[in-house]
Amino acid sequence: MPFYRLEELCERKENCLVRPILWDDPFENFLFSTVGLEADGRRVDFAFRDDFYGQCWTDADETDAMWRIYSRDKDGVRVQCTPHKLLAGLYRSEDLFRDICYFIGKMSYHTKEELCSLLHDVDFVRSVAFDGNGAKQCETFLLKRKAFSHESEVRLLYQLRATNAAAGDHFFYPLDPLLMFDELVLDPRLDKSTAESQNARLIDLGFTCRVRQSELYQLPERYSRLS
C-alpha cells in the first residue's frame, strides 16, 4: 500500500474492505454480474451480490511486478501478517451470523474459457444460488484468469447480512496495525534518506515489528564495490 495509507490506517485504526465491483478486472464478480433466464422466461439474478466485501493479499515472495503495480509512485510499503491474524481481526464473536459471513481463501487461476463455461454449468450455478452458508458464493470470488497468477492472491471476504447496517461500497471495521503486522518492508527504489525518514516515522507511529527496506534491486556487496 502507499505509505500515506499505512499512516491513515494507524491514525484511524480501521481497515477497509470494498465491494468487488470496484476491482479493476472485468472478470471479477463475473458470476454475480450475470442475469439468467428460467425455462419460462423469467429473469434470475443474484440479489446478494452487493452484500460481499473483500481485500486482496498475497502469499508470494516479493516480486518486481508487485512493486511496480502496487507501488507506482515508488513509495509503497509491504505489510505482512498471518492468515489467522487477518481473519481474526475481522471476525466478531458477537455477530449473529458469525459462522457464515467471515472467510479467507486462496485464489485459483483458470483460462477465460474455463470461467465462461461455469456460467453454463447448471449444477454449479444452482449450488451457488442456493447455498445457505455463503461458502459457495465466496468461491466465485476466488476464481481468476491465469494472466493474474503471478499475484498468488489470497482474499479476505465478508458477507454483510441483512441485520447489519448498510455500508455502501466500503466496509470499515476496527483494526490495530501495531498488533496486526509482523513485518514492514519499504520500497526497494527509495533513496537512503527517504528510507531512513520513513523508518523513523514508523517508529513514531508506534511500530515495534521488524522494519526493513527491500533489497530487490541491490547488488551483492562484492559487485557494488566494482568501479
Side-chain angles (χ1 to χ4, degrees):
M1 66 180 76
F3 192 84
Y4 75 87
R5 290 285 302 276
L6 180 59
E7 291 180 301
E8 290 178 350
L9 182 57
C10 291
E11 292 165 1
R12 296 184 58 172
K13 287 186 167 51
E14 284 185 328
N15 195 21
C16 178
L17 309 184
V18 302
R19 279 181 171 152
I21 195 173
L22 299 181
W23 291 334
D24 290 337
D25 182 10
F27 269 72
E28 297 284 10
N29 201 8
F30 76 100
L31 178 65
F32 290 170
S33 298
T34 62
V35 176
L37 293 176
E38 293 279 16
D40 58 7
R42 289 180 300 164
R43 291 167 57 91
V44 178
D45 60 12
F46 297 96
F48 46 76
R49 63 189 174 193
D50 290 333
D51 296 340
F52 281 89
Y53 296 81
Q55 189 174 61
C56 305
W57 291 71
T58 179
D59 66 356
D61 292 333
E62 62 175 326
T63 65
D64 174 78
M66 296 296 282
W67 281 116
R68 294 185 186 277
I69 294 171
Y70 296 103
S71 182
R72 295 176 182 175
D73 294 329
K74 303 180 182 180
D75 69 341
V77 55
R78 176 184 167 106
V79 301
Q80 182 184 53
C81 72
T82 66
H84 173 76
K85 289 172 69 173
L86 188 60
L87 185 60
L90 173 64
Y91 184 83
R92 296 293 178 266
S93 60
E94 68 276 10
D95 192 333
L96 181 63
F97 298 102
R98 59 186 176 274
D99 294 329
I100 56 175
C101 60
Y102 302 100
F103 304 89
I104 191 168
K106 186 169 174 56
M107 301 294 294
S108 61
Y109 298 93
H110 308 268
T111 65
K112 181 175 71 173
E113 291 72 24
E114 289 171 340
L115 292 176
C116 290
S117 70
L118 292 176
L119 299 178
H120 303 285
D121 186 333
V122 175
D123 291 335
F124 174 78
V125 173
R126 284 178 176 170
S127 71
V128 173
F130 298 106
D131 177 40
N133 64 19
K136 281 293 183 181
Q137 286 106 43
C138 279
E139 285 181 14
T140 67
F141 294 110
L142 301 176
L143 304 171
K144 207 166 184 178
R145 289 177 292 170
K146 287 185 176 180
F148 297 89
S149 61
H150 70 277
E151 295 178 340
S152 192
E153 193 173 332
V154 174
R155 284 187 173 168
L156 180 66
L157 297 166
Y158 171 63
Q159 185 177 17
L160 188 71
R161 293 290 173 159
T163 57
N164 294 322
D169 287 337
H170 301 83
F171 175 77
F172 293 91
Y173 67 94
L175 181 146
D176 187 347
L178 302 182
L179 301 176
M180 177 67 63
F181 301 145
D182 300 320
E183 183 183 60
L184 306 176
V185 182
L186 304 179
D187 195 295
R189 296 161 294 182
L190 292 176
D191 60 69
K192 182 179 179 181
S193 175
T194 303
E196 291 176 348
S197 175
Q198 288 191 357
N199 185 72
R201 174 60 173 152
L202 293 172
I203 293 174
D204 289 342
L205 289 170
F207 282 104
T208 58
C209 64
R210 183 188 185 197
V211 179
R212 64 180 178 89
Q213 184 178 11
S214 169
E215 299 179 349
L216 185 62
Y217 304 131
Q218 291 185 16
L219 287 172
E221 180 69 16
R222 66 190 184 94
Y223 292 110
S224 63
R225 290 181 178 178
L226 294 178
S227 60

